[in-house]
Amino acid sequence: MEEYQQLAKGLSVGIIMDGNGRWAKQRGLPRTAGHKKGAEVFRDIVRYCNDLGMSSVTFYAFSTENWARPTEEVESIMRLFGNYLTMAYDYKKENNRLVFLGDRSRLSKSLQDKMNDLEEKTKNNTGMFLNIAVNYGGRQEILRAAQTLAQRVKDGQLEPQDITQELFEDCLYTRGQKDPDFILRPSGEMRLSNFMLWQASYSEFISMDVLWPDFRREDLDRALQEFQKRSRRFGGL
Ligand code: IPE
Ligand code: IPE
Ligand code: MG
């Protein structure tokens, strides 16, 4: 554990929780069973990230494109998310700052209330940022920032040439947080699927051949070891 705490301390990590459906299919179960198991794994990995001393972790739970799935599946994911939010109230103990990334206007009023409430209740915590991306899309996030800044220009508060990267980042859901050092995708896929498009510019990408419901603390350890081997140059030498 200590060895991994050293590797993980202060890191910012993005996790694309993928492979729930395939996990269920392998077992002849409905896809919703995969999401249920995936939610359990999520809770355990959150705790582990805390213990490792990470500065910020972002879990991709539902994309702006995932509405294309059957209503039943979408409803089941939203129900699991709602259950989690109810349980998350003991995050006070964990000292996490909860932040929800994504357009919440399409979510139910009761989910929105809980999300706002949890963000408010944890905003003065001093521990890890726990970001949960729900109805999140990197393009939507960037567009929204562009709209916010365009409005400021229109209102005469800002000149177009004064728009800097810093100002732009202030309009993203991850305002005030470090870009991910690495993005981890279980299930073997090698794509971002609209995840953190702005923030991922120099993130290391780590794809792992394990389905999310089978993902264990040891798999995160392996990812940390892999990350340590990478040579990050940020365009320099
Ligand atoms: C990830 O698992 C969960 C969500 C996208 C909500 P999937 O449901 O995408 O699982 P696969 O990719 O079909 O196996
Ligand atoms: C990405 O997974 C979204 C989440 C894990 C929440 P998908 O399963 O939706 O991505 P694609 O369709 O394989 O690209
Ligand atoms: Mg998938």
Side-chain angles (χ1 to χ4, degrees):
M1 172 87 182
E2 262 169 47
E3 178 194 346
Y4 294 106
Q5 275 173 329
Q6 267 174 22
L7 294 182
K9 198 173 162 36
L11 289 186
S12 172
V13 174
I15 301 182
I16 302 176
M17 302 187 283
D18 197 20
N20 295 351
R22 277 163 280 177
W23 181 90
K25 194 169 179 211
Q26 280 176 356
R27 287 161 178 76
L29 298 168
R31 293 179 57 86
T32 49
H35 296 311
K36 187 158 176 277
K37 182 72 186 159
E40 287 169 23
V41 170
F42 159 75
R43 288 197 288 273
D44 187 56
I45 297 299
V46 168
R47 264 182 245 120
Y48 190 45
C49 291
N50 255 315
D51 295 346
L52 287 172
M54 290 180 175
S55 71
S56 144
V57 186
T58 305
F59 290 89
Y60 200 9
F62 192 87
S63 74
T64 46
E65 289 72 47
N66 286 145
W67 297 104
R69 298 188 180 197
T71 318
E72 226 183 78
E73 181 170 345
V74 171
E75 279 174 359
S76 125
I77 293 168
M78 293 302 162
R79 215 169 19 248
L80 286 164
F81 178 53
N83 293 345
Y84 171 72
L85 294 182
T86 308
M87 290 174 40
Y89 279 93
D90 58 64
Y91 268 98
K92 250 199 141 97
K93 270 189 285 176
E94 310 263 357
N95 200 22
N96 286 148
R97 283 171 279 192
L98 262 89
V99 179
F100 297 97
L101 319 185
D103 175 9
R104 53 190 88 172
S105 68
R106 200 170 162 182
L107 308 180
S108 74
K109 171 85 170 52
S110 94
L111 282 180
Q112 290 186 43
D113 288 347
K114 280 186 192 154
M115 291 158 83
N116 295 336
D117 193 35
L118 277 165
E119 280 182 339
E120 186 58 32
K121 284 204 163 84
T122 61
K123 71 169 189 222
N124 293 322
N125 284 351
T126 51
M128 180 178 93
F129 280 103
L130 170 54
N131 301 316
I132 307 178
V134 177
N135 192 21
Y136 173 87
R139 287 188 173 184
Q140 185 270 337
E141 181 181 37
I142 290 168
L143 261 181
R144 177 178 167 271
Q147 285 166 352
T148 304
L149 293 170
Q151 188 63 49
R152 280 192 215 154
V153 170
K154 191 177 167 211
D155 294 344
Q157 300 164 356
L158 187 67
E159 294 298 328
Q161 64 272 22
D162 293 334
I163 298 176
T164 58
Q165 292 200 18
E166 288 72 25
L167 210 52
F168 203 90
E169 280 167 357
D170 268 347
C171 298
L172 300 176
Y173 295 118
T174 47
R175 181 178 46 240
Q177 299 188 44
K178 204 165 93 133
D179 286 341
D181 291 297
F182 67 87
I183 291 176
L184 173 63
R185 185 162 188 164
S187 92
E189 306 294 357
M190 303 271 195
R191 56 178 172 270
L192 284 172
S193 302
N194 210 4
F195 185 55
M196 300 190 103
L197 297 184
W198 174 285
Q199 298 89 337
S201 61
Y202 273 99
S203 304
E204 296 295 321
F205 189 78
I206 301 180
S207 169
M208 295 183 85
D209 268 324
V210 50
L211 300 172
W212 178 250
D214 285 327
F215 193 90
R216 295 296 171 265
R217 292 175 175 215
E218 294 72 35
D219 296 305
L220 188 54
D221 293 344
R222 280 200 292 134
L224 288 165
Q225 279 171 333
E226 167 66 29
F227 173 69
Q228 205 208 10
K229 286 190 220 142
R230 304 281 178 96
S231 154
R232 302 180 83 191
R233 291 182 289 277
F234 300 98
L237 296 176

